[in-house]
Structures are given as structure tokens and as C-alpha cells.
Amino acid sequence: MADNLKAVSILNKDDQIVIGGAGGFIGGALTRYFHEQGFTDIRAVDKKPLSQWYQIVPGVESLCLDLSDRWNCRRACEGAVEVYNLAADMGGMGFIERFRIECLRSVLINTHMLEEAYLAGARRYFFSSSACAYNTDLQKDPNVRALRESDAYPAMAERGYGWEKLFSEMVCREYWAERGLKTAIARFHNVYGPYGTWDGGREKAPAAICRKVIEAKDSGNLEIEIWGDGHQTRSFMYIDDCLEGIDQIMHCEDLIATPINLGSDVLMSINDLVSIAERIGGVTLKRTYDLDAPTGVAGRNSDNTFIKKILGWAPSLPLEEGMKRTYAWIEQQYIGRKAGRRTVS
Ligand code: NAD
């Protein structure tokens, strides 16, 4: 991995890095990533109480602030050299199809964070966009053509969540065009791994499937309910690849204010994902299908031509290996919760 680290070669170790959404899955992992590289002035911010953060990194300033409030953004960005905005009201399909208004309201976070990062004199700003920003008309078939960056327009993003991302991307682009703030915009495709949501309604497919397999084994009821017909397809990127990609995209001069895919290009059906989790769990389950459950688009994949061309890099950890690590962590949480220990789901 060492050759791919960029922040260390560009920043001083005591430059301040601010991470919004640091109580969540990717923000928490990013906080740890920078801390492990020796950065000494990291400010982690999330609206959740600290007791609900997935990771609290010792030596990092951890603040509980609602970043949809402009003055909280000012406090968060004070002294920042780089700002990473991972904060958003989001979840898996069950959440984003049901709570479109909450998803749209995340526009306040990005708008205020950008303005305050700019006023604080930050050098760079990172925005976590999503593949949900792509035109949904291009995603009606499980054997979908992989999405290129230009496929976001003409715009027909996913309702709620996707439109918020597309609009916020545009705000990032204009802060560069009009005010010279270097912004980076990555369109994530399904990120998964340990220290993320695995229960409670906001979890995404890889975590939900691992949990269901673990529950089935534990209860002895060897069945699994799958949302939709299981033929819907996606690609999945392990968290460590995502962190490396964020670092590379943020520090590339050729990618300023330029949306870019950050995801795996290995297309996988949900049925195949279940088979992987079954293999890891050493079990075969009877499958039932909830055809009324929220499933999102029929198929979605990342075209990685652009990232390979510009950065000579793309995510690499095989899904089976990433799922093994995720399954092991969720199993630990599951056992811990059953034993009465406090866990964060
Ligand atoms: P997450 O839900 O684990 O983390 C988001 C965090 O933002 C949460 O801890 C939440 O409390 C915090 N937050 C929400 N509103 C806030 C507010 N007003 N002020 C401060 N904090 C607030 O999600 P994640 O998977 O870590 O996603 C991080 C970013 O990446 C989000 O912008 C998300 O839209 C984007 N993204 C993620 C995926 C994925 O597969 N995980 C895919 C595409 C895009």
C-alpha cells in the first residue's frame, strides 16, 4: 500500500485534517487511516453521541456537532488545512427509499461545510458522492453496462439521496470554478467492511447478508430472506481500498472538481453475494424472496477506465476476502450483543 499513500507526501504531519461524519463507517475508518500515518492534528466530527461512534481514535479531537448547522461547521473547520465530508443521513436501500427527505436535507451539511472550509482557508475539500447520482434509466437491467462518469447527465438520479449527491457535486465544482477551493468528488459504489452498520435498518446488503447468515446458524432456522428476486446486481468495494482511493483522488491535481468513480468493477448478483456469505459461514440456507422489499435499480457497476488512466490504480481486494473479514467482525458483534455487551450497530 505504501506507494499509494499521497497525503503523507503533500501535507505536514501537523497540518489539521477535519473529518465530518467520523462517527460513521467510512469517516471513522478514514480518521484511523490518517492517525496511523502519523498526522497529529485530526478533528473528527459527527452528530451522534460519542458512545455511538464505530471508532474513536485515541489522540484525535472528537467532537459531537450537527453539521447541518452553519455555526457548527464554522467550529468544525476552524484551522483546517483539509476537510473531508463523509457526513450524510444515509443507509441501505431500505433507508434511502423510505426517507427521501432526510437524504435530501444532507444538502445543508455539504453547503455549510464547503462555505466554512473556504472561509477557514482550507486548501482542499473532499466530497463523498455516490453511484446513486447516475441516471437511473441506464440501470434497468441486471447485466448493465458499467457506468462511466459522463453517465450522470442527462440527469435522472435516484430519488432523494441521488439528487442530493448530484446537486452537492455541482456546488463543489462551482467552489473551485468561482472561488478557487480545490474540491475532490468521489462517486462511491457500495463500500463494505468491519466497523459499519450491520443491523437496525440502515445496513447495506453485504452487512445485512452476513448478519442474516449468522442469525440463521445461531437460531438453527436455516432460512434466509432476500430482498427482491436476488438477480439484482452491484459491485462492492472493501473499506481499505476506499480509503486509499480517497487519499489518491483528494491529492491529484488532475482531478480537481472532477467527479470520479471509486468502486469495484466486479459485478455480482445478490444471490451470488449470499452464496459467498454461506460459504464463509459453512452453511447452505433455504432462500425466500421478498419481492415487495426495496431493491433500488436492477443493476449497477463501476467503469474504472478513468481512475485507471488518471491514477493508474483501482480497488483490488477480492470480494470473498473482504467478506470474510466483514463476516468475522459482525459475528463478534453479534456474539457480544447476545452476551449483553454494548455494541454499536
Ligand atoms: P454512515 O451512516 O456510517 O456515516 C455517516 C455519518 O454521518 C453518521 O455517523 C452520521 O451520524 C453522520 N451524520 C449524519 N448527519 C450528520 C450531521 N448533520 N452532522 C454531523 N454528522 C452527521 O455512512 P458511510 O457508509 O460511512 O458513508 C459516508 C459517506 O459516503 C456518506 O456521504 C455516504 O452518502 C457516502 N457513500 C457511502 C456509500 C457506502 O456504500 N457506504 C456509498 C456511496 C456513498
Side-chain angles (χ1 to χ4, degrees):
M1 186 195 269
D3 287 351
N4 293 322
L5 303 182
K6 287 286 178 277
V8 278
S9 59
I10 287 178
L11 293 171
N12 295 319
K13 286 289 170 70
D14 59 354
D15 282 344
Q16 188 177 79
I17 295 174
V18 171
I19 300 172
F25 168 46
I26 303 173
L30 192 64
T31 304
R32 181 170 294 285
Y33 173 85
F34 285 128
H35 185 260
E36 283 174 353
Q37 286 180 41
F39 288 97
T40 55
D41 194 358
I42 304 172
R43 181 178 296 141
V45 187
D46 201 288
K47 74 171 175 186
K48 289 192 296 202
L50 289 175
S51 60
Q52 290 173 24
W53 290 31
Y54 291 115
Q55 308 201 54
I56 295 187
V57 182
V60 166
E61 182 187 10
S62 299
L63 300 180
C64 178
L65 293 173
D66 183 341
L67 296 173
S68 62
D69 176 283
R70 165 127 186 231
W71 309 115
N72 285 340
C73 291
R74 179 158 298 183
R75 167 75 187 92
C77 292
E78 229 166 44
V81 174
E82 291 193 346
V83 175
Y84 294 79
N85 177 23
L86 283 300
D89 222 342
M90 66 92 65
M93 283 320 302
F95 182 85
I96 67 175
E97 285 201 358
R98 165 89 179 75
F99 297 107
R100 294 193 289 270
I101 294 175
E102 276 77 357
C103 292
L104 283 166
R105 286 179 60 81
S106 291
V107 78
L108 294 171
I109 304 173
N110 199 53
T111 309
H112 293 322
M113 280 295 270
L114 261 168
E115 178 68 9
E116 293 303 330
Y118 168 73
L119 291 176
R123 272 188 240 147
R124 287 174 197 261
Y125 182 95
F126 179 89
F127 176 59
S128 47
S129 187
S130 165
C132 293
Y134 281 113
N135 190 320
T136 48
D137 288 343
L138 301 173
Q139 305 171 67
K140 292 186 165 163
D141 190 310
N143 297 313
V144 68
R145 165 178 73 70
L147 293 160
R148 292 188 284 267
E149 284 75 3
S150 56
D151 289 331
Y153 295 96
M156 188 48 71
E158 202 144 319
R159 282 176 72 183
Y161 181 73
W163 279 102
E164 188 277 320
K165 293 295 189 193
L166 200 60
F167 175 77
S168 289
E169 284 187 0
M170 193 55 81
V171 185
C172 290
R173 292 166 75 175
E174 298 305 348
Y175 265 77
W176 164 244
E178 236 178 85
R179 299 200 190 165
L181 173 61
K182 290 184 176 178
T183 54
I185 305 161
R187 291 185 183 143
F188 297 167
H189 291 247
N190 295 299
V191 188
Y192 73 99
Y195 299 96
T197 314
W198 59 279
D199 198 7
R202 285 184 188 247
E203 65 279 17
K204 305 189 111 195
I209 289 168
C210 287
R211 189 203 67 235
K212 286 180 183 184
V213 171
I214 293 163
E215 278 170 350
K217 279 181 66 178
D218 183 49
S219 68
N221 178 17
L222 296 181
E223 289 190 9
I224 185 165
E225 185 191 80
I226 296 171
W227 285 10
D229 61 10
H231 295 305
Q232 65 273 30
T233 53
R234 296 290 186 277
S235 68
F236 301 94
M237 169 174 58
Y238 191 66
I239 182 68
D240 290 1
D241 279 327
C242 178
L243 301 176
E244 211 173 281
I246 292 173
D247 185 351
Q248 293 232 18
I249 291 167
M250 178 71 149
H251 301 109
C252 175
E253 293 303 314
D254 295 332
L255 288 175
I256 294 167
T258 306
I260 184 166
N261 281 331
L262 181 53
S264 159
D265 59 2
V266 179
L267 194 65
M268 177 77 38
S269 75
I270 295 299
N271 275 327
D272 289 342
L273 195 60
V274 172
S275 301
I276 291 178
E278 284 179 334
R279 275 200 296 281
I280 296 167
V283 72
T284 304
L285 303 174
K286 178 172 180 297
R287 300 180 183 195
T288 59
Y289 294 91
D290 180 355
L291 300 180
D292 296 324
T295 52
V297 294
R300 174 181 291 153
N301 195 7
S302 176
D303 183 321
N304 285 347
T305 311
F306 187 51
I307 194 165
K308 283 179 186 156
K309 177 172 163 222
I310 299 290
L311 296 173
W313 178 89
S316 60
L317 193 84
L319 185 59
E320 187 110 17
E321 175 55 31
M323 283 290 279
K324 261 188 211 158
R325 298 181 196 176
T326 308
Y327 185 100
W329 181 81
I330 293 175
E331 195 171 39
Q332 250 178 24
Q333 303 305 299
Y334 182 86
I335 293 167
R337 191 162 72 184
K338 245 189 122 182
R341 287 195 289 279
R342 198 181 62 75
T343 56
V344 188
S345 64

